[in-house]
Amino acid sequence: MAFHGSLFDPRAGTAQPLAYCRGLAQAARRAGARIFEHAPITRIGHDGIDWIVVVRGDAVYATHLLLATNAYAEALEGAPDPAFVPVYFSQFATAPLTGAQRATILPGGEGCWDTGRVMSSLRLDRDGRLIIGGVGNVAGPQGAVHRAWAARKLAQIYPELAGTPFEHEWSGAIAMTADHLPKVVSIGPRALSVYGYSDRGIAPGTVFGRAAARALLHGDPTALPLAIAQNHTERFKTLRTLSYEVGATAMHATRPAPFLTHRHPR
Ligand SMILES: Cc1cc2nc3c(=O)[nH]c(=O)nc-3n(C[C@H](O)[C@H](O)[C@H](O)COP(=O)(O)OP(=O)(O)OC[C@H]3O[C@@H](n4cnc5c(N)ncnc54)[C@H](O)[C@@H]3O)c2cc1C
């Protein structure tokens, strides 16, 4: 048995994160925003009136400032480093399933995830690829363990897909916090840093972004779903990152039992 029970919430859905990001960018442009790609900020400062944001030696002045760099925060002089534990998550995608397979596998396009500490997830993309995800870095030294786990997990949940190869795999960092809640930290006058979505930032990130913009522009901290902290720290970050990867590798090496790799439907 793969799961002891489940909760079905018909309000939920899935999104393609890159397409969603591009859609948000288009909407922002239509609303008058200017977007600069490949423009890393290296330093920020405040001159008593405005924020000065330095991008490759050029200065940009701003009355309000929102840092939203989450797990990919790059070193920034003049601002405290966002405190979170970087944890890797990997995804594996099959070829598009056949019509017959799609009729029985997540037929409503449901996105699923479990509540395990070394959590895993399942969903279909637009073309019907089954995407299985789990904690651990497939691009790291233990990649083969995570890849083999994904194949066994697929066979455990859907025996009819045993032996189906993965056509794509990728991984990225997520920003975990100790209580798994995002953090909103003040970094000076009319300036906030928002991060730490703990693997749940796609929809919440949009909500927090809008709320943070309102809080800054109207000077109204109650627009935010969480109180603004003056600072935030996380303990034993390196150790905890390591424990997630080692824990995920140990779990993926042994569960589900490796013999399932070779199981085929009769
Ligand atoms: C494999 C994987 C699967 C995931 N699955 C899910 C899921 O199913 N559901 C879910 O809700 N979330 C999921 N997440 C988490 C989700 O992707 C993040 O929570 C979300 O992308 C955070 O959005 P963001 O805009 O805050 O940060 P990001 O999308 O990470 O964007 C931050 C940007 O800031 C830029 N940046 C950093 N430093 C600087 C600097 N100094 N100057 C300029 N730019 C800078 C970075 O380059 C980056 O482009 C997943 C993450 C991974 C890696």
Side-chain angles (χ1 to χ4, degrees), residues 94-107 124 128 160-161 164:
T94 66
L97 303 183
T98 64
Q101 289 168 333
R102 288 179 72 170
T104 57
I105 294 175
L106 303 177
L124 293 169
E160 65 272 38
L161 295 185
T164 303

Side-chain angles (χ1 to χ4, degrees), residues 39-41 68-70 72-74 89 91 172-174 197 199-202:
I41 299 169
T69 54
N70 205 48
Y72 285 89
E74 289 170 27
F89 198 82
Q91 311 252 48
I174 56 183
Y197 295 107
D199 197 27
R200 287 178 234 111
I202 293 174

Side-chain angles (χ1 to χ4, degrees), residues 26-153:
Q26 279 173 14
R29 275 206 174 115
R30 276 199 300 273
R34 295 169 70 198
I35 297 172
F36 297 91
E37 293 179 86
H38 309 294
I41 299 169
T42 48
R43 182 156 49 90
I44 63 169
H46 198 266
D47 66 3
I49 301 171
D50 284 329
W51 285 96
I52 307 161
V53 175
V54 179
V55 184
R56 290 211 187 90
D58 292 322
V60 177
Y61 290 80
T63 48
H64 303 83
L65 187 64
L66 175 60
L67 297 185
T69 54
N70 205 48
Y72 285 89
E74 289 170 27
L76 195 54
E77 202 183 312
D81 287 339
F84 59 86
V85 175
V87 174
Y88 278 87
F89 198 82
S90 298
Q91 311 252 48
F92 305 85
T94 66
L97 303 183
T98 64
Q101 289 168 333
R102 288 179 72 170
T104 57
I105 294 175
L106 303 177
E110 300 87 350
C112 316
W113 65 97
D114 64 32
T115 54
R117 194 164 169 77
V118 178
M119 62 95 72
S120 52
S121 62
L122 273 178
R123 67 182 167 92
L124 293 169
D125 74 1
R126 183 186 57 185
D127 299 323
R129 296 179 182 84
L130 188 66
I131 303 174
I132 185 162
V135 175
N137 186 5
V138 72
Q142 310 306 330
V145 174
H146 301 308
R147 194 177 297 114
W149 161 82
R152 295 198 309 280
K153 188 81 178 172

